[in-house]
Amino acid sequence: MSKLVRISFSIEESLFHKLEKMVAKSNYANRSEFIRDLVRNKIVEKQWDKNCQTFGTITLIYDHLRTHLSHTLTHLQHEHYKYILATTHVHLNKDLCSEVILIKGRAKFIQQIFDSLRQQKGVLHASLSMSSIGKDLT
Ligand code: NI
């Protein structure tokens, strides 16, 4: 664990009040925890912008009755098996499925795989959670 340092900085009063409201609404234990997470979020955002090694979670909601869709989604994942760490399939109801795909690789590559899955006809919703392999977060 890194050594802690104490800092002080200047900020406009109106921004300070906004910060305090955000901290209160977000249920952080204190302002420091909130600012730490802001910094970490910025680091992860830059890692995605710079096409670094990253980690992401893709969530798909789709209609499994759509002809060939399940097969196509599985086929696309097999094409990139070296990067896809795990896939969880949940049957949401009689017709709809959810698949959660854990993926590690270069940011642009993950985005491409996400786009190719999301663009399949019958995929009703798709989201990509952009996270990190943990580098530079401490
Ligand atoms: Ni299913």
Side-chain angles (χ1 to χ4, degrees):
M1 180 136 184
S2 298
K3 191 177 120 192
L4 292 177
V5 293
R6 274 192 175 276
I7 59 166
S8 70
F9 61 95
S10 302
I11 184 171
E12 286 80 0
E13 192 175 13
S14 58
L15 274 181
F16 174 72
H17 290 307
K18 286 171 186 155
L19 172 65
E20 291 298 275
K21 274 187 190 170
M22 285 191 277
V23 173
K25 273 190 181 174
S26 57
N27 292 324
Y28 277 86
N30 54 53
R31 198 184 301 132
S32 295
E33 285 295 331
F34 183 84
I35 291 172
R36 275 185 204 115
D37 271 6
L38 279 184
V39 173
R40 288 187 187 115
N41 285 343
K42 197 71 191 170
I43 290 167
V44 172
E45 190 183 306
K46 283 206 178 250
Q47 289 172 346
W48 279 79
D49 285 347
K50 290 183 174 179
N51 196 27
C52 296
Q53 281 290 330
T54 54
F55 178 77
T57 308
I58 295 171
T59 304
L60 304 172
I61 310 294
Y62 65 93
D63 182 351
H64 86 278
L65 298 173
R66 185 98 187 190
T67 313
H68 305 307
L69 179 58
S70 296
H71 172 79
T72 302
L73 295 175
T74 302
H75 175 73
L76 286 168
Q77 291 179 63
H78 273 274
E79 277 190 339
H80 307 296
Y81 70 91
K82 287 182 183 170
Y83 308 95
I84 292 175
L85 307 174
T87 301
T88 300
H89 183 105
V90 176
H91 312 301
L92 294 174
N93 60 34
K94 199 166 160 263
D95 303 328
L96 300 179
C97 301
S98 175
E99 224 155 84
V100 179
I101 302 160
L102 307 181
I103 184 166
K104 190 166 122 180
R106 294 264 174 206
K108 282 182 186 166
F109 184 69
I110 291 178
Q111 187 73 53
Q112 283 170 5
I113 293 174
F114 172 67
D115 288 340
S116 66
L117 292 164
R118 156 178 84 76
Q119 289 164 358
Q120 298 305 312
K121 283 189 177 143
V123 173
L124 304 174
H125 185 260
S127 66
L128 170 60
S129 169
M130 299 174 180
S131 192
S132 166
I133 58 169
K135 190 173 178 246
D136 298 328
L137 293 183
T138 56

